[in-house]
Amino acid sequence: MSFAVGIALMQYVYIDVWTWFVNSYTRNVLAAAVCCALLLVFAACIVMLLFRESKVSRFRKISLLCYFICFMGFLLPLAFLQPAAAALRSDKFFLYNTGSDGPKAAVNPFVFKCWLFQIHPDFADPDTRTYVYKNVSETPPKNDCGDWSRDYEPYLELDVHLPQNKSSTGAGEGGKYPLLFHVHGGGWSVGDKSLAAMSFGHWTSRGYAIVSSQYSLRCYGHDAATMQADLADAFHFVEERADELNLDFSRVTAIGESAGGHLAMLLGYTLKATSDPAKNAFRSVFNIYGLADMERWDRDGWTSGGSKGTAFPCDEEGSLIQDLAGGCSEEQLKAISPVHYIDENTPPTISIHGTMDSLVSYQQSTALHATLDEAGVDNYLISCPGWDHVLDVGYFGPQQLLRYALQRLLAVDSNAPEVAGGEEEAWGWGIYAAVVLSSVFALAAGVFIHYMDRFKGGEGAVAMNLSDKSRLTLGVDGDGVGSDGVGSDGVGSDGVGNDRL
């Protein structure tokens, strides 16, 4: 029960230690079903206890109420997601394969409760290959990185994750794999290419390749322009080996979380295809709570103050925003702000963002998508009411919305795989039904036991009543014990008064 309380509270409090703990727990593919099953059974047990005891102590009532509130606190954030799930279900962006020659086929719409209790068929470990794509200086300009940052090396690496199944349904013409170009988060100063809330195996098992690259970090003295240049070099490095790796570079999506979302947008909105400089190198962009406009960061509401407090004022020595922009002028801030590169040729963009994000304000995404609308760019913002930063950890809740939306974004031509549904949804309904039935059974069992206990005819049945503070009534059925607790065997004559026994 205490574990349930802790999980419920962690839905609302963003603390690094807890985030990593939740990550290690919720990445289990059965976590959603198991957690909800335990909590539903626990709710039934609470009702059972209230049925069993005619007089419940004040402490018991208060403690049960607290636990029940925390139980609701665990499920409430999921309930808040229902409007977002309903929007995904009805929006034309997610209902059809919208290829260049028109809609291809209708797909299963998003059904939140099915995905919640779904056994996700993850996943074969990807075929991972690591490359050194760029040599850098032997010593960094500075070094004030902490334990969470990667160790400095005079080179930068990237990982290419390929599907193990060479006949995967995700492959397009010629068996080539569409590509997710992933940029890790970490406040521009921590993390490495392996840091991701998304499951690489989930996507490689569905026929998509993933590239995840290192880039120069701010704590080693580098600005956002250097990071952008590093990622562009990583992109071209892999592009040159596209045939060797069986990659389809006409179907590349940039994706990143937090600082990685900022850099993925910056790269996706500026990098042009080498084959045709007039075209974008990326087919689409998926922004996961990334910073879009550096200029307005100090004006946005709802912040814990931690991240923003280290960023502004810009002219303060060592401020984050100054280190990233290389200065504090309007031109320098715009140069590293993705929103200022948006035009009619910008790739289609999806964002997912918690409305109570305490590190990157939700207003960053609303302003980004307003600008995309003005430019006539296809876009969609998935709003997650009440959720904080790092909302995509695990396999349920916002991660469900993210996976569905990304899967639809990738399925923009006739060669893309259909959205998972049908048989998987049947599994989802089966688990959902099992959870509900088990809870109903537990409740029914509690009521049955309650009424059975009212009959005390069984041999040796013991009845104990602690509700009366002045006396303890103890009796064994059939031995002649009276209602006052004094039996015909003379109990009381040995000096124990009736008011004590």
Side-chain angles (χ1 to χ4, degrees):
M1 291 188 292
S2 298
F3 178 75
V5 172
I7 291 291
L9 294 177
M10 282 186 280
Q11 301 278 358
Y12 303 100
V13 181
Y14 174 70
I15 305 172
D16 285 339
V17 174
W18 286 120
T19 300
W20 289 109
F21 170 74
V22 175
N23 180 48
S24 64
Y25 172 73
T26 58
R27 289 190 65 81
N28 184 294
V29 295
L30 294 177
V34 171
C35 265
C36 289
L38 290 174
L39 288 171
L40 286 172
V41 171
F42 171 63
C45 290
I46 290 178
V47 177
M48 181 183 71
L49 286 173
L50 295 177
F51 266 116
R52 281 178 60 89
E53 299 187 34
S54 59
K55 293 186 178 180
V56 183
S57 70
R58 182 179 299 174
F59 173 79
R60 176 70 63 84
K61 289 179 180 178
I62 293 174
S63 62
L64 290 180
L65 178 62
C66 290
Y67 279 128
F68 188 75
I69 290 173
C70 288
F71 161 69
M72 296 305 297
F74 182 86
L75 295 181
L76 197 59
L78 297 181
F80 285 161
L81 292 178
Q82 286 293 344
L88 288 181
R89 182 181 177 86
S90 61
D91 195 272
K92 64 181 181 179
F93 193 97
F94 299 103
L95 290 179
Y96 296 95
N97 289 326
T98 53
S100 58
D101 54 348
K104 298 293 184 183
V107 298
N108 287 332
F110 184 79
V111 182
F112 188 74
K113 51 184 170 291
C114 291
W115 281 59
L116 177 62
F117 294 105
Q118 192 178 102
I119 295 181
H120 303 285
D122 286 3
F123 47 69
D125 290 332
D127 174 11
T128 301
R129 308 176 189 183
T130 301
Y131 299 87
V132 173
Y133 76 88
K134 185 175 185 178
N135 292 314
V136 293
S137 62
E138 290 290 335
T139 57
K142 70 175 184 178
N143 189 346
D144 61 358
C145 294
D147 294 337
W148 292 99
S149 303
R150 61 177 173 81
D151 294 335
Y152 186 82
E153 301 288 352
Y155 54 82
L156 296 173
E157 293 182 332
L158 60 81
D159 289 337
V160 180
H161 305 282
L162 300 172
Q164 288 279 20
N165 182 5
K166 303 305 180 186
S167 61
S168 174
T169 57
E173 294 182 7
K176 292 183 177 295
Y177 303 121
L179 179 64
L180 288 168
F181 191 89
H182 174 259
V183 186
H184 72 81
W188 302 275
S189 288
V190 300
D192 202 353
K193 54 185 170 39
S194 61
L195 178 63
M198 64 182 288
S199 165
F200 292 158
H202 177 91
W203 295 104
T204 57
S205 293
R206 286 154 178 76
Y208 301 99
I210 298 174
V211 168
S212 188
S213 175
Q214 292 178 337
Y215 51 87
S216 298
L217 299 177
R218 173 236 177 184
C219 59
Y220 287 124
H222 300 287
D223 58 17
T226 302
M227 302 174 195
Q228 180 185 9
D230 290 339
L231 293 169
D233 290 339
F235 179 89
H236 293 308
F237 178 91
V238 178
E239 185 180 25
E240 292 171 0
R241 292 157 179 79
D243 291 337
E244 170 193 339
L245 297 170
N246 206 32
L247 303 177
D248 184 355
F249 260 75
S250 67
R251 297 167 61 195
V252 186
T253 294
I255 183 170
E257 312 96 352
S258 193
H262 162 254
L263 293 172
M265 285 190 289
L266 197 60
L267 191 67
Y269 293 173
T270 59
L271 193 63
K272 301 299 179 182
T274 54
S275 58
D276 185 354
K279 294 183 178 180
N280 295 304
F282 293 92
R283 184 165 189 150
S284 55
V285 174
F286 202 113
N287 164 44
I288 306 174
Y289 45 82
L291 197 67
D293 189 351
M294 293 288 179
E295 280 192 293
R296 62 172 294 148
W297 196 6
D298 64 333
R299 304 195 304 270
D300 290 332
W302 181 256
T303 175
S304 64
S307 177
K308 200 171 82 170
T310 63
F312 290 95
C314 182
D315 56 3
E316 189 172 290
E317 183 67 26
S319 73
L320 172 60
I321 192 71
Q322 183 182 115
D323 288 349
L324 290 175
C328 298
S329 68
E330 181 179 346
E331 292 74 18
Q332 288 171 312
L333 294 176
K334 284 184 176 181
I336 61 168
S337 297
V339 70
H340 292 291
Y341 293 97
I342 293 174
D343 58 27
E344 65 275 9
N345 297 316
T346 296
T349 302
I350 294 179
S351 297
I352 184 168
H353 210 140
T355 59
M356 297 186 73
D357 193 319
S358 58
L359 297 182
V360 177
S361 172
Y362 175 69
Q363 283 92 331
Q364 286 281 326
S365 285
T366 56
L368 167 72
H369 285 268
T371 305
L372 290 167
D373 284 336
E374 292 173 3
V377 177
D378 289 339
N379 69 91
Y380 194 87
L381 171 59
I382 304 173
S383 301
C384 298
W387 288 77
D388 200 347
H389 210 59
V390 196
L391 53 81
D392 52 324
V393 168
Y395 280 87
F396 62 100
Q399 181 61 239
Q400 294 168 281
L401 307 183
L402 188 158
R403 284 198 312 275
Y404 180 84
L406 178 55
Q407 200 159 316
R408 293 302 310 122
L409 183 64
L410 295 172
V412 292
D413 57 62
S414 58
N415 295 319
E418 287 293 323
V419 172
E423 183 176 339
E424 288 188 77
E425 287 195 1
W427 271 104
W429 277 110
I431 297 177
Y432 180 72
V435 169
V436 173
L437 289 175
S438 65
S439 301
V440 171
F441 176 79
L443 179 60
V447 175
F448 175 76
I449 293 172
H450 165 67
Y451 283 106
M452 287 297 293
D453 281 353
R454 298 183 63 180
F455 300 96
K456 302 197 226 177
E459 184 67 20
V462 177
M464 182 176 290
N465 185 353
L466 302 180
S467 61
D468 191 340
K469 297 180 181 179
S470 65
R471 54 186 289 158
L472 171 65
T473 301
L474 177 62
V476 180
D477 291 351
D479 64 355
V481 177
S483 60
D484 61 353
V486 181
S488 60
D489 56 357
V491 175
S493 62
D494 58 356
V496 180
N498 288 343
D499 61 338
R500 300 295 301 274
L501 177 60

